[in-house]
C-alpha cells in the first residue's frame, strides 16, 4: 500500500503506556498511519514529546514527537480510532466516538461485556465481528480487545475447545509489571517479592473466556461457552510476559499427542488472510521441562504468539500446562491492531474511510 | 540450661547453604550447642571459614569460623546430628549414622517416604515420632523434615483437616531462589523471568502431605490421608519465601469465618511445650487483599509461621487461599530444629546423650 | 526509664514511608514514646490505619493503628517533633513549629544549609549542636539530619579526616529504591535496569559533607571543610542500602593499615554516651574482595553502622574504597532518632519537656 | 554474496554463553557462514543441541542444532575461527590454531596484551591490524577483542581523544550479569544486591584503553597512550548492558557542545566501509537527565552503538558523563564479528580462504 493510501488512524489515550505501545507498533504499519494523537485536556495542545514520559525501549520517532496532541473529542479527521484510554474515562468517550460515526477499537475494559460488542481474538472468534451491525451506539461502533491475561490463555484453549471441548478451567497467573501501566507497580512492592492480587483481574479472567469462546445466536448476541472457570492472579517481578498455569477438563477424551498436534497445527482466519500482525503459528508448543519462560519466549511471533509447554496429565483435572504471552503486544496494543487488520480485511472499515 | 549442659550436636553438610542456615539459627540456641561441623572429604581438615563460602546475611561467628571441619563419618562426639546433606549422598551417610547409634534429624529427601521414618511437622503430626522405635537401621534412627514447599502449605491445611476434612488439594507455587541452594539458580535465569519448573518438586508436593496428614496404624506405619493432590511449581525472582495458591475441597461444610477462626486459634504440641523455635501462632490469617507477601511476612514468628490470606469461595473447589512461609527457616533448617526440640521435650533424645 | 516517664514525641508526615520508618523504629524506644501522629489535612481526623498505606516489613502495631491523625499545626502536646515531611511543605511547617517553641528534628532537606541549623551526624559533629542557641526562629529550634547518601559516606570519612585530613573526594553511588519513598521508583524503571540520575542528589552530596565536617566559628556558624567534592548518583534495583565507590586525597600521608585501624577503632560521643541507637562500631571494615554488599551488611549495627571494604591505593587519588549504609535507618529515621538521643543526653531537650 | 560464496567460519568454545551469542549473531550474516562448532572434549561428537544448554532469547536454529560438535583441534575446514574459549584454555588453543595457519579472532583475554597482537575496536584503531604481519605464532595470526567493559567506554573516548586529548580517566562501572557468563552470577548474590567486585575486571579496564588508544611505532608494536586510569567495577542486577560513570581530564580545552558534537558526528572506518555490523552512529549522545539506561538503550544500533548521556563539567576532573553499551553484543560477540568484517574488507582474510 503506498504511503498516501494508508488508512489514517487516531490513538485515544496516546500518552499512557498502552498508547505508547500503539505508537511503537503502528509506526511502520503497512496499512495504518498514525494521524492523530489524542489525550487528556492537560496534554492537549502540547507537542507529543512534551506531553509524554516515553517509556518504550525504542526511541520516540521525530515525526511522532512533533505531533500536537488533541483532545479526545469526536471531531478527528481519522475515522478509525484505537482506544488506550484509562477505564475511568473510556466508557463515555468511546461511546461518544461511536455515536459520532467513528470505529472504535478498544483495549479498555468498559464495553467488553456489552451486548453486540465483540470481544475479539482474531484467531478465536472472527465471526463475532458481525455483531457490530446490531450495535445501538449510532453510526459508528465499538470492538474490544480482551484483558491481557485472558488473551494468551484463550489462544491456547481455542484448538482444544474446537477438537475436544472444555468443561472446566483453572488458572493461576504470574503477571508482568508492565500490565499495571506506568508508573504502575512501585519497585518497593515487587523487588524480592510477589503480590498475590491484581485488582479486578480475576473477575475478568473468569468471565471473558466464556464470551470469546461462545457462539453467536439468532439475536446477534453471544451465547457464552459453558465452562466453569476459576482464576488466581499474581504480580511478579517480570517486565513483560504473563505466565499462566492452566488446568482443564475436556468434554471428549484427547491424548497428549493430539492436543500438542492441535496447537502446532493451529491456524485461523488471520493466518489465512495473511494479516500483517498475524503470527505464523499463533500457538507454539515447546518441548523441554523448563519452557515457556517470559524472557526467552515472549517475543516469539514478534510478541503475537502464545508459547505453551509442560502439557501433562493431572490428578485433579484432565490436563495441566503452562502458557505464556506478551502482555503489552499480543495482550494489548498488538492484539488490538490485529483486530483492526481483520476488520479491514473483512471489509468492516470501508464505509468509514 | 547452663552452657555446659547444652546438648552437643553436629551438622552434616555444614558448608552448603542449608548447613549454613543451621549454623546461623543454632548459634544462640538455648538447648543445643554446635559441637562438630562435618562436610565432604574436600572440606574436611580445613578451618570452617576456609572451607565455606558464607552466604548468610549475618556475619559468621568467630567460634564457628575456627572449628575444623570433619568428615561425615559416624565417629563424632555429638550423638545428635542434623543432616543438611545433598540428596546425592544423604541416603547412605544418614543410614550409616543411624546404624552406628546416632539420632539423625534430616532435611534431605532420601528417607522421607521410608516406613517407620517420621516425616515431621511438629504442629501437625507430633504423634508420628513414635514410629522411630520400630526403625530397623540399628541403634540410632532417622527423622525427616518435609520439602520446603510442603511445610507451609501443610501447616495451613492442618486446622482445616482437623475440623472439616480435606478431599482434594490443588496448589500452584511461586518459589524463592534460596530453595535452589547456592550457587543454585543462575541470575540470568531469573531476573525479569519465571521458570515454570523445579526438578522433583511437584512429585514431593503431591506425595508428602498425605503422609504428614496420615495416621499411625497398628503396624506403626502411616496410613496416608486420602487426599487427591495436584501441584505445579514455579521459580520466581524472590530471595526467601515460597508463595502458594491453594484450592481445596472439604469433606464437611465449613464457613469462611470458621476456617479463619481455625487458623487464628491453631495451637499444637510445640506451642503447649513452649519449644524455643515454636511460633506463638503457627498459622496467621492476614486481612487485606494484597497479603501475604514474601517481603512483608516471611519473617513472622521469626520465620516459623505460615502467613495466610485471600480465603474465598471458589467456582471449581470449595475454597481458595494463598499461603506463604519462609523456605529456609520454617521450610528447612528452622523446621528441622523444631523437630529436634520436640524430640528433646518428649524424651526421645535422652538415652542418646 | 519507666513507661510514664518517657518523652512524648510527635511525628510530622507520619503516613509517608519515612514517617512509617520513624514509627517502626520508635515503637520500643527506651526514652521516647510516640504520642501524636501528624499528617496532611487529607489524613487528619482518620485513624492512622485508615490514613496510611503501611509498607514496612513489620506489622503495624495496634496501639499505633488506633491513633487518630492530627494536622501539622503547632498545637501538639508533644514538644519534641520528628519531621518526615515532604520537602514541598517542610520548610514552612518546621519554621512554624520552631517559632511556637517546639524542638524540630528533621529529616527534610529544607533547613539543612541554614545558618545556625546543625546538620548532624552524632558521631561526626556532636559539637555543632551548640549552634541551636543562636537560631532566630523563636523559642524552639530546628536540627537536621543529612541526605541518606551523605551519611554513610561521611561516617567513613570522619576518622580519616581526623587523622589525615581530606582534600578531595570523588563518589559514585548505587542507591536503593527505598530512598525514593513510596510509591517512588516505578518497577518498570528499575527491573533489569539502572537509572543514572536522582534529582537533586548530586548537589546534596557535593555540599553537605563540607558543612558536617566543618568547624564552628566565633559567629556560631560553620566554617565549611575545605574539600573539593564530585558526586555521581545512580539508582539500582536494591530495596535498602546505598553502596558508594569513594576516592579521596589525603592532606597527610597515611598507610592502608592506619586507615583501616582508624575505622575499626572509631568511637565517638554516641558510643561514649551509650545512646540506645548508637552502634557499637559506627564504621566496620570488612576484609574480603566482595564486601560490603547491601543484602549482607545493611543491617550491621541494627542498620546504624557504615560497612566499608576494598580499601586500596588508587592511580588517580590516594585511596579508593566502597562504603555501604542502610538508607532508611542510618540514612533517615534511625539517624534522626540518634540525633534526638544525643540532644536528650546532652541536656538540649530538658527545658522543652 | 551468494550463499556458496560465504566465508566458512568456526566457533571455538561454541557451547558457552559467548559461543551461543556468536551463533545467534552469525546466523544470518551476509559474509560469514557457521561451518564448524568446536568445544571441549566432553561435548565433541554430540549434536550441538545435545551438547548445549541454550540460553539465548531467540530459539536455536535447526541447522545449527543438528551440527556435530568437534574438538578444538587445528584440523578444521574453516580457516577463520572465532574464539569464545574460556581463559583457562584459550591461550594455548589459540596459539595452536595460529601456528597451524588459522586466523583467530578472539574474545578471550589471554593474548590481548601480547606484542604485535592487535586489541581492536574497529572504529578506534583499525590501523593496528597491520601488526599481525609481524606476529611470530606461525602462518596464522591472532586478533583480539577487548574486555566488555572497556569497549563501550573507549568508543566514547575516541572522538574526545582525537579532538582534545585525554590525560586522566576515572571510571566506575555497573555491569550486567551476562558479563559473568552462564551459570555465572548466582541469583542469591544479585537480587536486591550489588557486588562491588568483579575478578580481574579493574586491571583490564586500567590497562586495555591505553593500548587501544595507542599508536603503532616503528617496531610494529603499540606505544601506549599516556593516560592515567582508575577503574572500580561493580555487578548489578541487570541482564545486559554495562553502565559506566566516566570522568576525564583533557589535554586541550573543549566545550561541552564541542564534545557532544564530536560524539554525534563520529564516524570511522567501519562506517565508511559500510560493514554489516557497523552501527550508523557508533556513539550516540542522548539529551535528558535520566539517560542512558540499559533497558532503553542497550539495543541502539542493533546493540553495536555506545549510548552516552549526562555530560557535565566536574569539580575534580574536566568533565563527567555516563556511557552504556551492550556487553554481549558490542562488548563480546558482535564486536568480534565487526573485527572480522574489517579484516575481510581490508583484505586480511584473502590468502587464508
Amino acid at each position: 500500500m503506498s504511503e498516501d493510501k494508508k488508512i489514517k488512524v487516531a490513538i485515544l489515550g496516546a500518552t499512557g503506556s498502552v498508547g505508547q505501545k500503539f505508537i511503537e507498533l503502528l509506526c511502520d504499519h503497512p496499512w495504518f498511519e498514525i494521524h492523530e494523537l489524542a489525550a487528556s485536556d492537560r496534554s492537549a495542545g502540547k507537542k507529543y514529546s512534551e506531553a509524554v514520559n516515553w517509556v518504550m525501549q525504542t526511541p520516540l520517532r521525530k515525526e511522532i514527537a512533533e505531533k500536537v496532541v488533541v483532545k479526545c473529542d469526536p471531531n478527528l479527521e481519522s475515522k478509525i480510532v484505537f482506544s488506550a484510554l484509562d477505564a475511568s474515562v473510556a466508557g463515555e468517550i468511546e461511546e461518544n466516538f461511536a455515536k459520532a460515526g467513528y470505529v472504535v477499537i478498544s483495549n479498555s475494559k468498559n464495553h467488553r461485556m456489552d451486548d453486540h460488542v465483540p470481544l475479539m481474538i482474531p484467531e478465536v472468534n472472527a465471526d463475532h465481528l458481525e455483531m457490530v451491525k446490531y450495535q445501538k451506539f449510532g453510526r459508528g461502533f465499538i470492538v474490544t480487545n480482551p484483558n491481557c491475561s485472558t488473551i494468551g490463555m484463550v489462544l491456547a484453549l481455542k484448538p482444544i475447545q474446537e477438537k475436544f471441548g472444555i468443561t472446566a478451567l483453572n488458572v493461576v497467573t504470574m503477571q508482568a509489571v508492565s500490565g499495571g501501566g506506568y508508573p504502575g507497580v512501585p519497585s518497593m512492592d515487587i523487588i524480592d517479592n510477589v503480590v498475590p492480587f491484581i485488582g479486578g483481574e480475576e473477575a475478568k479472567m473468569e468471565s471473558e473466556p466464556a464470551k470469546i469462546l461462545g457462539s453467536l445466536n439468532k439475536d446477534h448476541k453471544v451465547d457464552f461457552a459453558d465452562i466453569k472457570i476459576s482464576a488466581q492472579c499474581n504480580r511478579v517481578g517480570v517486565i513483560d510476559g504473563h505466565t499462566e498455569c492452566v488446568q482443564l477438563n475436556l468434554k471428549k477424551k484427547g491424548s497428549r499427542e493430539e492436543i500438542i498436534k492441535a496447537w502446532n497445527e493451529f491456524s485461523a482466519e488471520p493466518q489465512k488472510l495473511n494479516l500483517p500482525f498475524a503470527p505464523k503459528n499463533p500457538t507454539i508448543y515447546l518441548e523441554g521441562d523448563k519452557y515457556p519462560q517470559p524472557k526467552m519466549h515472549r517475543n516469539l511471533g514478534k510478541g503475537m504468539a502464545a508459547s505453551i509447554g509442560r502439557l501433562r496429565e493431572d490428578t485433579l483435572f484432565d490436563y495441566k500446562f503452562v502458557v505464556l504471552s506478551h502482555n503489552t503486544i499480543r495482550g494489548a496494543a498488538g492484539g488490538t491492531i490485529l483486530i483492526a487488520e481483520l476488520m479491514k480485511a473483512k471489509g468492516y472499515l470501508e464505509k468509514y474511510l
Side-chain angles (χ1 to χ4, degrees), chain A:
Chain A
M1 201 177 290
S2 73
E3 201 62 26
D4 59 340
K5 293 289 184 45
K6 283 192 181 177
I7 298 169
K8 288 181 165 60
V9 300
I11 297 164
L12 309 182
T15 55
S17 64
V18 178
Q20 292 179 35
K21 200 73 187 179
F22 269 114
I23 292 173
E24 193 180 48
L25 294 179
L26 284 170
C27 263
D28 294 314
H29 199 280
W31 299 353
F32 304 122
E33 182 199 345
I34 301 172
H35 183 62
E36 286 154 311
L37 300 173
S40 67
D41 293 1
R42 192 166 30 83
S43 295
K46 292 185 189 163
K47 276 184 16 184
Y48 183 71
S49 58
E50 282 155 16
V52 74
N53 175 12
W54 185 256
V55 295
M56 298 293 104
Q57 293 182 32
T58 58
L60 177 58
R61 299 273 184 98
K62 277 245 170 73
E63 67 269 23
I64 299 295
E66 296 298 321
K67 282 187 187 291
V68 173
V69 176
V70 296
K71 291 190 186 182
C72 289
D73 292 336
N75 53 10
L76 304 181
E77 294 175 8
S78 323
K79 292 309 168 194
I80 313 302
V81 302
F82 289 102
S83 168
L85 290 165
D86 189 79
S88 61
V89 298
E92 197 183 334
I93 294 178
E94 293 179 358
E95 272 190 56
N96 291 344
F97 272 87
K99 279 177 195 161
Y102 291 79
V103 174
V104 180
I105 312 171
S106 174
N107 189 55
S108 300
K109 71 177 183 187
N110 307 59
H111 295 289
R112 282 180 192 155
M113 305 307 278
D114 288 6
D115 282 349
H116 307 305
V117 172
L119 182 58
M120 297 289 308
I121 302 176
E123 283 90 344
V124 176
N125 61 345
D127 59 312
H128 286 202
L129 261 186
E130 204 196 316
M131 286 196 289
V132 300
K133 299 175 187 164
Y134 306 91
Q135 281 186 23
K136 303 277 165 50
F137 291 117
R139 284 176 300 136
F141 60 86
I142 298 173
V143 174
T144 61
N145 188 47
N147 188 50
C148 55
S149 57
T150 302
I151 296 181
M153 177 179 71
V154 175
L155 266 177
L157 296 179
K158 176 63 177 180
I160 303 179
Q161 167 78 339
E162 256 177 15
K163 296 239 159 84
F164 313 102
I166 299 170
T167 60
L169 178 64
N170 196 51
V171 59
V172 176
T173 69
M174 293 166 284
Q175 299 183 222
V177 296
S178 60
Y182 187 89
V185 182
S187 54
M188 284 182 68
D189 280 354
I190 209 68
I191 294 174
D192 187 20
N193 206 19
V194 166
V195 180
F197 178 75
I198 302 174
E201 200 81 358
E202 296 176 349
K204 290 178 203 166
M205 290 198 80
E206 292 184 351
S207 60
E208 295 180 1
K211 179 169 181 181
I212 303 167
L213 292 168
S215 47
L216 289 190
N217 62 25
K218 61 180 168 46
D219 298 329
H220 312 289
K221 296 182 186 172
V222 176
D223 283 337
F224 282 34
D226 186 20
I227 306 177
K228 286 176 76 172
I229 309 177
S230 172
Q232 296 175 80
C233 295
N234 302 282
R235 188 76 74 193
V236 295
V238 167
I239 291 286
D240 291 313
H242 291 349
T243 308
E244 309 183 3
C245 294
V246 178
Q247 294 164 293
L248 45 73
N249 284 333
L250 302 181
K251 202 169 283 177
K252 202 183 104 187
K253 210 173 144 64
S255 73
R256 188 174 174 277
E257 288 65 35
E258 287 172 318
I259 295 172
I260 291 176
K261 192 159 171 281
W263 280 323
N264 284 336
E265 296 181 350
F266 182 45
S267 181
E269 197 89 9
Q271 284 70 38
K272 285 177 198 99
L273 293 169
N274 208 17
L275 301 180
F277 267 56
K280 200 181 144 219
N281 301 299
T283 51
I284 298 171
Y285 189 80
L286 300 157
E287 299 291 346
D289 276 343
K290 297 190 158 188
Y291 304 143
Q293 294 178 15
K295 193 159 69 91
M296 292 191 81
H297 304 113
R298 60 192 167 204
N299 290 322
L300 290 187
K302 295 188 180 165
M304 291 295 288
S307 301
I308 310 166
R310 301 208 70 209
L311 179 70
R312 51 216 196 279
E313 293 193 13
D314 187 26
T315 49
L316 294 173
F317 294 83
D318 288 339
Y319 284 101
K320 55 185 168 187
F321 63 87
V322 180
V323 62
L324 164 90
S325 66
H326 196 300
N327 56 300
T328 69
I329 300 180
R330 172 54 92 156
T336 311
I337 292 169
L338 187 63
I339 297 172
E341 293 173 351
L342 179 70
M343 291 165 71
K344 153 76 181 135
K346 307 276 279 186
Y348 280 86
L349 303 185
E350 267 167 41
K351 64 173 180 175
Y352 295 88
L353 302 180

